[in-house]
Structures are given as structure tokens and as C-alpha cells.
Amino acid sequence: MTWFRTILRKLAGLFVDDPVLAAGVAVWIALIAILGYAAPGLALARALALALGLCGILTLSIVRGAATKRAGGATSERRKLRRLGT
Amino acid sequence: MMTGALVAVALPSFIASLVEFVEMLTIVLAVGATRGWRSALAGTAAGIVLLALLVAAFGPALAYAPLDALKIVLGALLVFFGLRWLRKAALRYAGVIPMGDEAGRFARTASQLSGGATPASLDGAGALTAFNGVVLEGLEIVFIVIAVGASSRNLAVAAIGAGIAGLIIVALALVLHKPLARVPANALKFVVGLMLSSLGTLWLGEGLGVAWPGDDLSAFGIGAAYLAASAIGIGLCRKRSSSHAGSVSA
């Protein structure tokens, strides 16, 4: 059962590492799909919006990942200082 | 055009599988060295059978699915998968997370399994570790083969790309008998991330009915855009980390 859960977690982990990136990508794809129904004539504009939007989300996710890592480091550093009584 | 399509299918499958087979091999080698080769090979064989069953079960079934729906679902999954690899590789290049270390992985697995080794007989813990390693790392290969193969209706070509990668890694393992620490795993992951994200975006767009300028050739443009986006992300991370280091030291 534990093994099955590990497999399920691994399967989910194949696609979702940063939940914000995954959510951003999902929302963007949904928006482009909705735009397809609302304005089917804008096929080229939707192509550019799809690609450039996903690129923007990727850049934001990379920057956010680094900021989160740095904030985590800073937090653990503060915790260490508190333990030392400084 | 036909050759280009085959390369677009076989190449991502080959490179991605190469990276995953290296990680798989490290675990199997660690099991073999500490718990005996019989356990390592038994666990590996069981894992490979399970993965082959997954490909055989899902791969041909997808051939009957409507192509547009398939392109939307598998294209979106490829985008999620590819961007995850791209993000991780970019963070490694930016120095935010450490580079992958096969020698370290080998040492960790070996130390977890060390003690009470019985090289002559079949060892349950060793076989299970090898099985888990093969299945967990192999799931990524299975997904790539199925997604790339089914979206392009070229499952056999994608499977052949992965198979060749597997043969190369097994041959190297037989010759070297140690983890392949010199494989530039991060660079390969970055390239695969670019390829899978580009192909995923292309197929997803086709499924959604967008008009790509230049049709399939626009995959190169999409790849260039992802490369630029990653480079900007890496540059911003480096800039911020150097200014952060400056403010801490000041």
C-alpha cells in the first residue's frame, strides 16, 4: 500500500513540482481554449499568446523558485541564531 | 519532412531516456555491489516487465483516441512535464539548487543497504530497492515514450529511441561497473525540457486549433522562446543572488 502511494506520488510529481507553475500553466491553457471559442478567427494571435504566456510563466516560476529557496535559507538562519540565543 | 518528424519523435525520447537510465543504473549498481547481483538483476527484470506492460497496455489503446483530443491532453501533460525539467535545470544553472550527483546517489543507496549482505542468495530488500528504482525512474521514460509517440502517431519510433538509450547505458555499465558520474545530466535535462515543452506546446496548440506560422517548423521558434525565457530567469536569479550576497556581507 505504501509502495502504491509512492507510485501515485511519483506520478503526480512527474507533472507538478512547483504548484504555482502548474496552476499558472493550467489557467493559461484554459484561457487560450476559451478564447478559441470566443474568437475563433484569432488563430495566429492565440498561438503567440499560448507560447509567450507559457514562457512568461516559466520565467516567473524560475525567479520565484530562487526567491523561495533564499527565503527558506534566511528562515533557517534566523532559527539557528534564535537557538544560539543571539 | 518524414525524417524530420522521426527525429522529432526519436530524439527527445532517446535523450530523456538516457538521463533516466543513468539514474536507474546508479541504483541497480548500488544494489548489486552491496546485496549481490542476483537480487539487483531480479528486481531490475521485474521492474522492466512492469514498465513494458504499462507501455503495452496504454500505448496501442491511445492509437484509437481522436487525434485532436489526444494532442490537447498529451500536449498539456508534455508542457507540464517539460517545464518542470526546464525549471529545475535552470535553477541548477543559477546555482539555486545543487547539480545532480550520481556518485553521491550511489553512496547513499549503498549505505542504506549495507550490512547483512548475502551476495550468493536472493535478497528481498535489495531486489525491492532495485525494483523501486527501475519502476520509479522508468515511469518518466514510459510517459515520454507514450506521450511523444501517441501524439505523433509514432509510438514504435519513440520506443526505439528509448530502447537504444537503454542499450547504450547497459553496455557502458557492463564495461565500467560504476556509476556514470561524467554524463552531463543537467545539460541533457535542460535540452530535453526544451524539446518536450516545445513539442507539447506545438501539439497542444494544434489540438486547440491555433495557427502556428510555419506549421511543425514553429517548434524551433517555440524552443528558442523557452530558451530565452529560461536564460532571462537564470540571469535574474544570479543578479538577485549576487545583490543578496552583497547586502548580507555589507
Side-chain angles (χ1 to χ4, degrees):
Chain A
M1 204 61 197
T2 316
W3 182 79
F4 184 66
R5 224 174 286 157
T6 310
I7 291 285
L8 279 183
R9 208 174 301 142
K10 175 75 181 175
L11 265 178
L14 282 182
F15 308 104
V16 182
D17 196 6
D18 172 19
V20 178
L21 170 69
V25 169
V27 168
W28 193 250
I29 292 172
L31 281 174
I32 299 293
I34 291 167
L35 195 63
Y37 287 105
L42 299 174
L44 180 63
R46 279 191 295 132
L48 291 175
L50 176 66
L52 296 178
L54 291 176
C55 287
I57 292 169
L58 172 67
T59 305
L60 285 177
S61 172
I62 293 169
V63 174
R64 190 181 155 276
T68 310
K69 195 82 183 167
R70 267 199 302 273
T75 309
S76 65
E77 197 63 35
R78 275 200 298 274
R79 230 178 271 139
K80 209 183 291 171
L81 289 171
R82 213 175 299 141
R83 262 204 312 275
L84 291 169
T86 52
Chain B
M1 194 66 187
M2 189 65 186
T3 314
L6 291 182
V7 169
V9 173
L11 201 62
S13 177
F14 171 77
I15 301 176
S17 304
L18 208 61
V19 176
E20 293 304 322
F21 275 124
V22 167
E23 293 179 2
M24 198 187 281
L25 176 77
T26 304
I27 297 169
V28 174
L29 284 174
V31 172
T34 52
R35 293 285 180 152
W37 290 103
R38 191 183 282 191
S39 311
L41 293 176
T44 304
I48 288 172
V49 168
L50 181 64
L51 293 173
L53 284 175
L54 282 174
V55 175
F58 291 106
L62 288 174
Y64 298 103
L67 191 58
D68 274 351
L70 205 62
K71 280 187 171 178
I72 292 176
V73 174
L74 293 180
L77 288 177
L78 274 174
V79 168
F80 281 109
F81 188 89
L83 289 185
R84 189 180 69 94
W85 274 34
L86 210 47
R87 175 182 179 273
K88 206 172 208 173
L91 287 174
R92 283 194 172 129
Y93 277 128
V96 177
I97 55 175
M99 292 280 180
D101 172 22
E102 288 309 307
R105 183 197 291 258
F106 180 86
R108 277 196 303 279
T109 311
S111 78
Q112 280 164 9
L113 289 170
S114 62
T118 48
S121 61
L122 192 69
D123 174 73
L128 192 65
T129 305
F131 177 75
N132 276 346
V134 169
V135 171
L136 293 179
E137 301 298 341
L139 273 177
E140 301 203 35
I141 299 173
V142 168
F143 167 71
I144 293 167
V145 167
I146 288 179
V148 173
S151 301
S152 61
R153 299 286 198 217
N154 265 323
L155 189 67
V157 175
I160 288 170
I164 292 172
L167 288 176
I168 289 173
I169 296 300
V170 169
L172 282 173
L174 288 173
V175 174
L176 298 173
H177 278 286
K178 61 179 183 181
L180 303 171
R182 287 195 176 178
V183 172
N186 202 52
L188 288 177
K189 281 198 166 187
F190 192 83
V191 171
V192 175
L194 276 177
M195 284 179 163
L196 296 182
S197 306
S198 310
L199 286 175
T201 307
L202 179 81
W203 288 330
L204 171 66
E206 284 178 354
L208 292 174
V210 309
W212 292 115
D215 293 326
D216 287 354
L217 286 177
S218 57
F220 292 103
I222 301 169
Y226 277 127
L227 181 64
S230 308
I232 292 169
I234 294 169
L236 285 172
C237 289
R238 284 187 179 155
K239 200 174 162 188
R240 286 191 183 184
S241 80
S242 61
S243 66
H244 179 76
S247 68
V248 167
S249 65

